[in-house]
């Protein structure tokens, strides 16, 4: 395993243990519940929108380390972000997950979420990584943002 792969694996494990944004706050502008029937991963993600920006993202759920790390990384990435930035990040992450390992991801757009790039080589794990991102898209659509 390369040093970079080892670092990425450590980032995923750290975020799976220390879940950033974990715990719904109750003041969410909008939320979305998503379930992956393939593996049983589940997430409820809420966004608090203020002045046309995502002021915060909170979530609760359970599942594998990939889905929980993905939600945690997403929480960090979209904090105080505008809709265009979030939309670009979601599109970039989806493209990364569809790359079958051919892309490394753009750290400028995805931040530490590029650590999940290796997941794209495992078709059954892509849904795990995408689950919170799909929930974010749905929550934002429901909020009108």
């Amino acid at each position: 395993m390369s040093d970079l792969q080892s670092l990425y694996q450590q980032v995923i494990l750290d975020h799976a243990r220390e879940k950033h944004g974990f715990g719904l706050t109750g003041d969410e502008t909008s939320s979305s519940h998503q379930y992956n029937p393939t593996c049983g991963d589940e997430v409820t993600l809420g966004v608090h929108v203020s002045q046309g920006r995502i002021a915060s993202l909170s979530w609760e759920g359970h599942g594998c380390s990939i889905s929980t790390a993905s939600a945690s990384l997403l929480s960090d990435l979209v904090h105080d972000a505008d809709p265009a930035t979030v939309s670009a990040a979601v599109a970039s992450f989806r493209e990364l997950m569809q790359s079958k390992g051919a892309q490394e991801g753009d750290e400028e757009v995805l931040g530490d979420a590029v650590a999940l790039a290796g997941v794209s080589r495992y078709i059954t794990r892509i849904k795990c990584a995408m689950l919170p991102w799909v929930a974010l898209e749905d929550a934002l659509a429901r909020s009108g943002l």
Side-chain angles (χ1 to χ4, degrees), residues 19-37:
K19 302 171 180 94
H20 300 186
F22 188 80
L24 295 172
T25 61
D27 68 346
E28 294 85 8
T29 304
S30 181
S31 65
S32 175
H33 178 81
Q34 299 293 318
Y35 174 68
N36 181 353

Side-chain angles (χ1 to χ4, degrees), residues 18-92:
E18 298 293 325
K19 302 171 180 94
H20 300 186
F22 188 80
L24 295 172
T25 61
D27 68 346
E28 294 85 8
T29 304
S30 181
S31 65
S32 175
H33 178 81
Q34 299 293 318
Y35 174 68
N36 181 353
T38 306
C39 64
D41 290 355
E42 217 170 331
V43 67
T44 301
L45 182 142
V47 291
H48 178 77
V49 177
S50 178
Q51 299 177 344
R53 298 177 74 81
I54 297 176
S56 64
L57 178 150
S58 58
W59 63 278
E60 288 183 353
H62 59 86
C64 68
S65 60
I66 292 170
S67 68
T68 56
S70 185
S72 178
L73 289 159
L74 181 59
S75 174
D76 288 349
L77 182 65
V78 302
H79 178 77
D80 196 34
D82 62 80
T85 300
V86 173
S87 180
V90 171
S92 180

Side-chain angles (χ1 to χ4, degrees), residues 34-43 62-64 66-68 70-71 93-94 97-98 116 119-135:
Q34 299 293 318
Y35 174 68
N36 181 353
T38 306
C39 64
D41 290 355
E42 217 170 331
V43 67
H62 59 86
C64 68
I66 292 170
S67 68
T68 56
S70 185
F93 190 75
R94 181 170 278 118
M97 288 297 108
Q98 293 171 345
L116 294 163
V119 171
S120 69
R121 291 188 303 259
Y122 307 99
I123 193 91
T124 58
R125 305 305 259 157
I126 293 170
K127 287 183 180 180
C128 301
M130 283 298 305
L131 195 67
W133 298 73
V134 170

Side-chain angles (χ1 to χ4, degrees), residues 99-119:
S99 77
K100 297 180 180 173
Q103 294 181 16
E104 294 179 16
D106 184 346
E107 193 171 351
E108 291 292 317
V109 176
L110 295 174
D112 286 346
V114 297
L116 294 163
V119 171

